[in-house]
Amino acid sequence: MRLGLFMMPLHPPERPMHETLAEDTEKSLLADRLGFDELWVGEHFSASSEPIPSPLMFMAALAPRTSRLTFATGVINLPNHHPAIVAAEAAQFDHMTRGRFIMGIGPGGLASDFELFGNTEPIARGKRMLEAMDIILRIWAQDGPPYDIAGRNWTARIVDSVVPELGVGTMPVPFQRPHPPIAITARSLDSFGVKVAAQRGWGVVSANFVTTRVVAGHWRTLRAALAEHGKAASGENWRVARNFCIAATEAEARARVFDEAGANRYYFHYLSTLARPAGQLATLKPDAETPDEAVTLEQIIADCVIWGSPQGVLDRLVAFREQVGPFGHLLMAGLDWSGPNAAWEQETMRRLAEEVMPRFRQHVAATEGGRRAAG
């Protein structure tokens, strides 16, 4: 059971970019010191509230300053990029980190980025994502030129400009062979990405901004899709992201998670405000039958945030895993540190890593061991 930090990142839009980049750097270095295993960073080109256009560039600056973190893109939105560029940059990053890299991919989730890159049609985005990944894998599978890879949307061709003795025309391949681990995000209840991951042997990352019943749906879809392809049902390569708020007492944690100035409240206010007019509130509804107009921010927070004292969070985390399925990795959402949130979020990170996770790992190990023995 590995522990990771998942950052979109999300900040109030008026904060200067250099300030939030410095904060997100501090957050990442703290995660490394506390023993977090992974760092996932998102990619958004056109939102001052989600201000990292290049997760690889951001994480490259962290690589020499960290000792244990595995870096992961959360995610590279493949429809927005020529696959040859992604193939080369990801291969370089994998070498820079000596294989401390997971390649998270997705079709994108920000409407302004869709408009910016002309990818407004959902089905077309999904097809472009898969085509881009196929081209990337074909580039990485070759030892050198010539390359003559044609798809519906892109081509990757180096045939006439090859000078083998000088290395001209040769694309870089990753440090990890045949390639870094690949993971895809899941948001919808019956996720297409989960089915693709099961078919292709990729990991799944269940988003933190979906309700518990949707995460449970991801396991049902994953289990069925694995069985369809003759694979054993396993959550070993399934990551689940969640928001947390941990304090010394239950009352203190509850006050923080629902506080008007709290980062969790801002986080779900932001997401639900974008989701309502787009007709995408369904994945944030604790009860699917609730009309959109009846869904409150408090209901969303209560279902999407695991909060409490260390013992309370452990109990809720155990119950959550029993409810949704046997995920093998846990990702904590990294939130904004404005106002009181710097102290609150740092305490949450520390208590999760040092007080909750050791006991949660013991519980998972004992539970899985018992199931194997019974089976």
Side-chain angles (χ1 to χ4, degrees):
M1 176 64 66
R2 286 164 65 88
L3 175 63
L5 182 68
F6 188 98
M7 294 195 298
M8 293 171 60
L10 181 59
H11 300 283
E14 67 274 9
R15 293 190 64 188
M17 187 177 188
H18 66 272
E19 182 181 287
T20 58
L21 287 172
E23 179 187 296
D24 293 335
T25 296
E26 182 182 354
K27 206 173 298 176
S28 304
L29 296 176
L30 176 61
D32 187 65
R33 293 195 300 272
L34 289 173
F36 280 63
D37 302 293
E38 298 174 355
L39 173 67
W40 293 72
V41 179
E43 170 199 277
H44 305 93
F45 284 87
S46 59
S48 59
S49 47
E50 304 181 56
I52 293 187
S54 174
L56 290 178
M57 186 185 298
F58 175 80
M59 294 187 297
L62 292 168
R65 304 176 65 186
T66 55
S67 60
R68 63 172 294 136
L69 284 177
T70 294
F71 299 100
T73 49
V75 296
I76 297 176
N77 298 311
L78 290 180
N80 301 338
H81 303 270
H82 192 291
I85 295 176
V86 177
E89 291 181 347
Q92 175 184 323
F93 183 83
D94 198 37
H95 281 272
M96 291 176 70
T97 60
R98 296 294 194 272
R100 286 194 288 156
F101 177 46
I102 300 168
M103 186 168 173
I105 63 169
L110 184 64
S112 55
D113 278 1
F114 299 159
E115 183 178 357
L116 176 65
F117 293 105
N119 293 319
T120 56
E121 212 286 308
I123 294 177
R125 281 199 305 274
K127 291 180 178 179
R128 285 170 66 88
M129 177 191 71
L130 293 179
E131 180 188 319
M133 197 65 233
D134 286 342
I135 292 174
I136 291 167
L137 292 174
R138 288 182 64 183
I139 290 172
W140 287 348
Q142 291 193 209
D143 293 328
Y147 305 89
D148 195 1
I149 305 168
R152 181 181 179 88
N153 299 283
W154 296 284
T155 60
R157 188 176 190 275
I158 308 175
V159 174
D160 301 322
S161 306
V162 178
V163 187
E165 63 273 20
L166 297 179
V168 174
T170 301
M171 295 284 294
V173 296
F175 178 84
Q176 300 175 82
R177 301 300 289 157
H179 54 74
I182 298 166
I184 191 168
T185 51
R187 180 176 181 179
S188 61
L189 185 63
D190 186 27
S191 173
F192 167 74
V194 171
K195 297 173 184 177
V196 170
Q199 177 185 1
R200 300 191 177 205
W202 298 347
V204 172
V205 182
S206 292
N208 55 301
F209 42 86
V210 299
T211 192
T212 302
R213 63 176 180 82
V214 173
V215 180
H218 292 166
W219 172 241
R220 290 193 299 271
T221 301
L222 179 59
R223 183 175 54 193
L226 287 170
E228 183 181 342
H229 295 286
K231 301 175 183 178
S234 171
E236 182 180 356
N237 206 17
W238 177 29
R239 290 168 173 83
V240 171
R242 231 58 199 145
N243 287 48
F244 287 88
C245 182
I246 311 176
T249 67
E250 291 283 299
E252 195 173 4
R254 190 186 192 288
R256 291 178 184 181
V257 81
F258 290 105
D259 193 296
E260 290 289 340
N264 274 294
R265 190 176 187 89
Y266 169 70
Y267 188 93
F268 287 105
H269 164 74
Y270 174 89
L271 289 168
S272 61
T273 300
L274 292 178
R276 282 183 190 275
Q280 297 177 345
L281 200 60
T283 57
L284 286 167
K285 291 181 182 180
D287 184 346
E289 302 304 317
T290 305
D292 283 9
E293 60 272 16
V295 177
T296 67
L297 183 56
E298 285 72 21
Q299 289 172 331
I300 294 171
I301 292 171
D303 192 81
C304 292
V305 182
I306 299 175
W307 60 269
S309 66
Q311 181 61 52
V313 166
L314 175 62
D315 293 341
R316 292 180 179 100
L317 195 52
V318 168
F320 174 75
R321 189 171 186 265
E322 289 175 353
Q323 183 176 356
V324 302
F327 57 86
H329 309 259
L330 179 66
L331 306 180
M332 170 191 164
L335 305 180
D336 184 74
W337 282 7
S338 298
N341 293 291
W344 294 352
E345 291 303 310
Q346 288 174 41
E347 181 179 355
T348 292
M349 289 177 67
R350 178 179 61 78
R351 289 187 183 275
L352 180 62
E354 297 178 354
E355 300 177 46
V356 177
M357 282 304 295
R359 297 165 65 193
F360 184 52
R361 289 187 176 109
Q362 289 174 357
H363 168 82
V364 170
T367 302
E368 297 302 317
R371 286 174 180 164
R372 285 193 293 270

